[in-house]
Structures are given as structure tokens and as C-alpha cells.
Amino acid sequence: MMNGKCLFSAAIAAGVAGFISFAAYGAEVVIDPGVGVEASPEKISGTTDVTIKSGIVTMDPANDYTGTTTVSGATVIASAIANSGKASSFGASGAVVFDRAVLKYTGPAVTTDRPFWNSAYSVGITNRVQVWDIANDLTFSSAMTSSDGLVKLGAGTLTFKNTITLNVADIVIPDYAEQMVFPEDGTCPTQGMGLFGLYEGDVVFEKDASIQQNNVSGIRFRIGGWIANQGEQEPDVCLYINGGKTTCSSSGCLGLRHGIRDFNTPNGPAKAYLVINKNAVFQQSGGQAFNVGLNVDPPNNGAYNSDLRIIVNAGGAW
């Protein structure tokens, strides 16, 4: 304990092989094992905020603390996400705040009312993005607001049943035209992403969604992108807009460099779909462009071997 905080440091991690008890310490628990260091803290209980500052941290699914969980510059592996009042990897209640961090969800399909990714606005922050790597379906029933960008990975479907708002301003996001490389040290990617990037699996908007950018240049709304290496196939992706109005003030792209690097497609062309269903609207605002099949490498023109579609079903509108 130091200054009212319980610190899980690299030295402690090395001494106990990633195992330590925080039961009912109160105040604040700070987990900071170091960049690239794996850690597995034991169950955390009591009324306490939890801050994870570095490393690749596997949180105990039985955590029942009550307080805000902040993940900043680290990867968190969570096998349990639940409704408020129930134990989970992020405790039993409180907001879960991601700030240039990675969530790897490995648990079963679940719906939660817990508020996630309500990060605070800050001027001049570079690489302000969160990566959500979802192995199985994850559904949020509460409204979401974030000043971070969002990158979606993983085979699971990410569903927002309530309104969501991404409002990013005055920040620096790396070159969207580069490959997104996933670091092995637990830190966030530093290139090849946008304000909203769907690179693997599906995302579903059930109600109004607002994707807003201010003073951020480049193609920032991306369905399908470049994450595969040469000879590997890009994952299939689909954004379903099932209800409400999705308003995007950012330039967008369906299938930016999306496909196979050497035209060998053992699983067929890489798919990137935008589907607008009945009673749903997609609105591109502010005079921004929306590109389909863009490859910025001259002399090539168009996407690699890809199946790119915008589908507007009866009763839907672009």
C-alpha cells in the first residue's frame, strides 16, 4: 500500500508469478506490471477503483469490487462480462473506461447493461483508439459515448442496442493507408486505423449512431481494411444498420486495401458489406466522400480480390 493505493508492479509480478490478492483494500488498485509483461491478479473485492496501466492483464472473472475500471495503454483479457450487480472481470458495478487500450473478450455470448468506453476528451493525444477483440457475441444495452476511436477485431458480433456516439476532435490518428499491425506487447496499434474500423466479424447498430470527427483528416470510417500479411486472406466483415439513423461526418471506405495480397483466395473473395435494413437510415454528412474498393498503391487501382457490397433493403435508406 502506498498513498492509499495498492500497486501491482513489475517487481511484484516477478516475485509472485502474476498472482496477488487485493481483497477489500479500498482506495485504488493500480495494476502496472510493465509493457509486455503478463499478469493475473487474484480476485479484487471491496469499494475501489481499478486502474490498469500496462502489460497483458488477465482479470479474475469473480471480481466483485464496485468502482470505476480504467484501462490505459494495456491489454485486458476478460472471460466474464455481466450486468451490474454481478461479479465479472470488471467487478460488479461502475463504468469501464478504455484509453488507448485493448480488450480481449474470451467469454461466452452475453448482453450487458454496464457502460463501456466512456473515455474523456483530451486535446493532442496521439493514437487515441481502442481495440475490441471479441471472440464471441457481445451486446451492450446501455447508451455509449466515447471520444476515442474504435477498432473491432474477433469473430464475435458486437451489437449496440442503444444509441452510440463517437465524437473525436483535434487528435492525431496514424496513416489510414498503412497495414494495421497488432503489437505483441499489449499496447495499442499505432498505424492503419481510423475513427471507426471494422476489420473482423460483424457490428450491429440497433438505434441511432453518430460518428463525428473534427480536425481529423483522412478516411476514418472503415468497413474492411488491411490487417492480413501477404498470402493471408482478410477476414469477412459486415456492418448491419438495423434501426435508427447512423450519421457519419467522416469520409468512409468499404474495403480499403481489403482482400488478399497475392490474389490467392482459398476462401473466396474477402467480403466487406454494409447492410441497411428496414426502418434504418445511413447518412453521410458534411460533404464527405464514401469510397468503395480503394487501393492507394499506384499503379494498382481498386481493392484486391474482394466482394464489396452496399445493400439497402426495402424500407431502408441511404
Side-chain angles (χ1 to χ4, degrees):
M1 290 282 290
M2 295 182 62
N3 300 322
K5 298 181 180 180
C6 181
L7 175 65
F8 183 76
S9 67
I12 295 174
V16 299
F19 178 85
I20 190 169
S21 174
F22 290 116
Y25 270 111
E28 181 183 8
V29 172
V30 179
I31 303 173
D32 191 10
V35 175
V37 178
E38 297 183 11
S40 301
E42 196 194 16
K43 177 182 175 180
I44 305 173
S45 296
T47 302
T48 180
D49 293 336
V50 175
T51 301
I52 303 168
K53 291 187 172 182
S54 66
I56 303 168
V57 180
T58 301
M59 296 295 281
D60 193 307
N63 285 336
D64 57 7
Y65 64 89
T66 57
T68 299
T69 306
T70 302
V71 187
S72 181
T75 288
V76 169
I77 301 173
S79 60
I81 293 177
N83 283 330
S84 296
K86 297 183 179 180
S88 75
S89 299
F90 298 103
S93 68
V96 183
V97 179
F98 285 86
D99 177 9
R100 290 164 289 164
V102 178
L103 166 65
K104 286 183 173 288
Y105 178 61
T106 61
V110 69
T111 297
T112 179
D113 61 3
R114 294 281 297 276
F116 271 52
W117 54 287
N118 294 317
S119 51
Y121 172 79
S122 183
V123 175
I125 299 296
T126 302
N127 306 339
R128 196 173 185 95
V129 68
Q130 320 170 24
V131 176
W132 287 14
D133 189 348
I134 309 299
N136 294 298
D137 296 352
L138 180 58
T139 300
F140 290 93
S141 61
S142 60
M144 298 286 198
T145 302
S146 179
S147 59
D148 277 5
L150 174 65
V151 170
K152 161 65 170 67
L153 295 174
T157 297
L158 180 61
T159 300
F160 299 101
K161 297 187 75 67
N162 212 317
T163 58
I164 70 165
T165 302
L166 272 72
N167 192 348
V168 180
D170 298 316
I171 68 170
V172 180
I173 298 181
D175 185 0
Y176 63 89
E178 297 179 345
Q179 181 185 22
M180 194 191 78
V181 178
F182 199 76
E184 297 181 358
D185 62 5
T187 59
C188 257
T190 58
Q191 65 183 40
M193 55 209 172
L195 168 59
F196 174 87
L198 171 53
Y199 293 124
E200 188 174 16
D202 298 339
V203 171
V204 180
F205 294 160
E206 296 284 359
K207 290 191 176 180
D208 292 351
S210 178
I211 316 291
Q212 305 292 329
Q213 69 169 26
N214 299 290
N215 302 326
V216 183
S217 62
I219 296 172
R220 299 306 179 195
F221 183 81
R222 302 176 59 175
I223 305 170
W226 179 14
I227 62 172
N229 295 318
Q230 186 167 353
E232 298 176 348
Q233 181 143 355
E234 299 285 355
D236 294 341
V237 299
C238 185
L239 173 62
Y240 293 94
I241 302 176
N242 288 346
K245 177 188 285 187
T246 295
T247 303
C248 180
S249 72
S250 164
S251 56
C253 189
L254 187 70
L256 174 66
R257 291 195 176 193
H258 190 68
I260 191 78
R261 305 299 294 168
D262 61 3
F263 299 96
N264 174 27
T265 54
N267 301 319
K271 298 177 182 178
Y273 291 178
L274 169 61
V275 178
I276 305 167
N277 285 317
K278 184 178 180 180
N279 298 324
V281 176
F282 182 87
Q283 178 177 316
Q284 192 82 8
S285 65
Q288 298 286 348
F290 196 93
N291 304 278
V292 177
L294 178 65
N295 176 355
V296 296
D297 271 349
N300 299 318
N301 186 18
Y304 289 93
N305 196 355
S306 299
D307 178 5
L308 310 176
R309 305 185 193 187
I310 297 175
I311 301 170
V312 182
N313 289 317
W318 175 286

